[in-house]
Amino acid sequence: MRQKRSDELPRFMNDREGPEFRWNRRYTYFLAGFLCICWFLYPSRNTSSANGEPTVNWSNYAYSLYATDSTTLCHAILLADALARLGSKADRVLFYPEYWDTVVSDSKDRDSQLLVLARDKYKVKLQPIKPLTVGGRTKDQWTGTWDKSVTKFMAFSLEYYDRVIALDSDITLLQTLDELFLLPQTPIAMPRAYWADSKPWPLTSMLMVIKPNHKELRRFTDRLTGGGEEMLVDAHKFDMELINERFEESAMVLPHRPYALLSGEFRHRDHSAYLGDSKEEWDAEKVLKEAKLVHFSDWPLPKPWIMWPPEGLQEMQPDCGSSTETCVERRIWKQLYDDFRRRRRDICKLLSVPAPEWQKIKGGEHLPNVTEGTAHAAPHADGNVHVDARRRLM
Ligand SMILES: *[C@@H]1O[C@H](CO)[C@@H](O)[C@H](O)[C@H]1NC(C)=O
Ligand SMILES: *[C@@H]1O[C@H](CO)[C@@H](O)[C@H](O)[C@H]1NC(C)=O
């Protein structure tokens, strides 16, 4: 279009010398022509403004969060808080069980308080749903609850949006992920589980950049009703299994560095898998600084909403090869947990679940309901969840 305009420009200049009446008419034609061209080029012009920077309509993008119980509700709100704090421009959507409500009945009604907080303070769009579960497992009350993590697939239903980022809730977001909305078109983009034993590493469902599609959702829910292998379901791996079954060979792969760092990385000695370069020297500070998303994973130590058993902490915490005085890794690792617990207390007004017995969880079989389970009730911190009255009016 620029080319065309500059072709026309000299003629326009010449015409200035002509009679004024003609010039005016000419001017009108040129203006009409110019507007016409603008109109034709509007869709492409829409994506780049005058200075060449892409202008993006952020209402076409959203982060998808989900809550299936009080614990995951709080963690979804911590994510909404992080997105707001980090200046993310996209929408936020929260799926929650339809039998909850947003009427705060009393000061103990934490779920309703948190839903209101999400809606009013963090501008989260609330979507009541029936949580998804893995079929054939409902007889076992505990597993039935646990399996609701597959509710994250509801992100595929958000066809109103061009693209959606679905996040797990046992993570800390350190930077916004808004740039991922602008990736080239693809049904799904995900990082790989760089900690997996076997190669090729499977895709990890902690972060999924999705093109919402009801047909895909239907495929997943059909598979869910068929039930899953008990071990995978118990270990909270079934969603990952389904995603890999469907997209392992066709997904756009996001670099796990910096999009999927495990907290456990700070306890390890060999960092070549995360760094992706065996020659690069490990620098814990630098890795933390560049990381955008940290996933809590230090099994058998419990997740951060459950207290550490003191012996477990002694045994498992980063030891930096015994130079404990200035162990940067330990400081960072503890700081990640402390930060999560502090935000739970300050934002959700929830304390940590008491520590399980270390001897029971250590070494033995993987008991995800003890170390990761979200069904335990956490004690409430003093005070109500605070929603600014002014914001409520907005
Ligand atoms: C952005 O997209 C939304 C939804 O598609 C639309 O309603 C809105 O008008 C768009 N805004 C602009 C400035 O183009
Ligand atoms: C965890 O699961 C085990 C095995 O299914 C069960 O015996 C135990 O009661 C569960 N614990 C909690 C806290 O739900």
CSV table of all heavy atoms in Angstrom, one decimal, residues 140 142-143 234 365 367-370 375-376, ligand 2:
chain,number,residue,atom,x,y,z
A,140,ASP,N,-14.9,-45.3,44.3
A,140,ASP,CA,-13.8,-44.9,45.2
A,140,ASP,C,-13.9,-43.4,45.4
A,140,ASP,O,-13.5,-42.6,44.6
A,140,ASP,CB,-12.5,-45.3,44.6
A,140,ASP,CG,-11.4,-45.0,45.6
A,140,ASP,OD1,-11.5,-44.2,46.5
A,140,ASP,OD2,-10.3,-45.6,45.4
A,142,TRP,N,-12.4,-41.2,47.2
A,142,TRP,CA,-11.2,-40.4,47.1
A,142,TRP,C,-10.6,-40.2,45.7
A,142,TRP,O,-10.3,-39.1,45.3
A,142,TRP,CB,-10.1,-41.1,48.0
A,142,TRP,CG,-8.7,-40.7,47.6
A,142,TRP,CD1,-8.2,-39.4,47.7
A,142,TRP,CD2,-7.8,-41.5,46.9
A,142,TRP,NE1,-6.9,-39.4,47.1
A,142,TRP,CE2,-6.6,-40.7,46.7
A,142,TRP,CE3,-7.7,-42.8,46.6
A,142,TRP,CZ2,-5.5,-41.2,46.0
A,142,TRP,CZ3,-6.6,-43.3,45.9
A,142,TRP,CH2,-5.5,-42.5,45.7
A,143,THR,N,-10.6,-41.3,45.0
A,143,THR,CA,-10.1,-41.2,43.6
A,143,THR,C,-11.0,-40.3,42.8
A,143,THR,O,-10.5,-39.6,42.0
A,143,THR,CB,-10.0,-42.6,43.0
A,143,THR,OG1,-9.4,-43.5,43.9
A,143,THR,CG2,-9.1,-42.5,41.8
A,234,ASP,N,-4.2,-42.6,39.6
A,234,ASP,CA,-3.8,-42.3,41.0
A,234,ASP,C,-2.7,-41.3,41.0
A,234,ASP,O,-2.6,-40.5,42.0
A,234,ASP,CB,-3.4,-43.6,41.7
A,234,ASP,CG,-4.6,-44.5,42.0
A,234,ASP,OD1,-5.7,-44.1,41.7
A,234,ASP,OD2,-4.4,-45.6,42.5
A,365,GLU,N,5.4,-46.4,48.8
A,365,GLU,CA,4.7,-46.2,47.5
A,365,GLU,C,4.3,-44.8,47.4
A,365,GLU,O,4.2,-44.0,48.4
A,365,GLU,CB,3.5,-47.1,47.4
A,365,GLU,CG,2.6,-46.9,48.7
A,365,GLU,CD,1.4,-47.8,48.7
A,365,GLU,OE1,0.8,-48.0,47.6
A,365,GLU,OE2,1.1,-48.3,49.8
A,367,LEU,N,2.1,-42.0,47.4
A,367,LEU,CA,0.8,-41.7,47.9
A,367,LEU,C,0.4,-40.3,47.6
A,367,LEU,O,0.5,-39.4,48.4
A,367,LEU,CB,0.7,-41.9,49.4
A,367,LEU,CG,0.8,-43.3,50.0
A,367,LEU,CD1,0.9,-43.3,51.5
A,367,LEU,CD2,-0.3,-44.2,49.5
A,368,PRO,N,-0.1,-40.1,46.4
A,368,PRO,CA,-0.3,-38.7,45.9
A,368,PRO,C,-1.4,-38.0,46.8
A,368,PRO,O,-1.4,-36.8,46.9
A,368,PRO,CB,-0.8,-38.8,44.5
A,368,PRO,CG,-1.1,-40.3,44.3
A,368,PRO,CD,-0.4,-41.1,45.3
A,369,ASN,N,-2.3,-38.8,47.4
A,369,ASN,CA,-3.3,-38.1,48.2
A,369,ASN,C,-2.8,-37.5,49.5
A,369,ASN,O,-3.4,-36.7,50.1
A,369,ASN,CB,-4.5,-39.0,48.5
A,369,ASN,CG,-4.2,-40.3,49.2
A,369,ASN,OD1,-3.0,-40.7,49.2
A,369,ASN,ND2,-5.1,-40.8,49.9
A,370,VAL,N,-1.6,-38.0,49.9
A,370,VAL,CA,-1.0,-37.5,51.1
A,370,VAL,C,0.0,-36.3,50.8
A,370,VAL,O,0.0,-35.3,51.5
A,370,VAL,CB,-0.2,-38.6,51.9
A,370,VAL,CG1,0.4,-38.0,53.1
A,370,VAL,CG2,-1.2,-39.7,52.2
A,375,ALA,N,-7.7,-32.6,48.8
A,375,ALA,CA,-9.0,-32.8,49.5
A,375,ALA,C,-8.9,-32.4,50.9
A,375,ALA,O,-9.9,-32.2,51.6
A,375,ALA,CB,-9.5,-34.2,49.3
A,376,HIS,N,-7.7,-32.3,51.5
A,376,HIS,CA,-7.6,-32.0,52.9
A,376,HIS,C,-8.0,-30.6,53.2
A,376,HIS,O,-7.7,-29.7,52.4
A,376,HIS,CB,-6.2,-32.1,53.5
A,376,HIS,CG,-5.4,-33.2,52.9
A,376,HIS,ND1,-5.1,-34.4,53.5
A,376,HIS,CD2,-4.7,-33.2,51.7
A,376,HIS,CE1,-4.4,-35.1,52.7
A,376,HIS,NE2,-4.1,-34.4,51.6
B,2,LIG,C1,-4.8,-42.0,50.6
B,2,LIG,O1,-5.0,-43.2,49.8
B,2,LIG,C2,-4.7,-44.4,50.6
B,2,LIG,C3,-4.8,-45.6,49.6
B,2,LIG,O2,-5.8,-45.5,48.7
B,2,LIG,C4,-5.8,-44.5,51.7
B,2,LIG,O3,-5.7,-45.7,52.4
B,2,LIG,C5,-5.7,-43.3,52.6
B,2,LIG,O4,-6.8,-43.3,53.5
B,2,LIG,C6,-5.8,-42.0,51.7
B,2,LIG,N1,-5.5,-40.9,52.6
B,2,LIG,C7,-6.2,-39.7,52.6
B,2,LIG,C8,-5.7,-38.7,53.5
B,2,LIG,O5,-7.1,-39.5,51.9
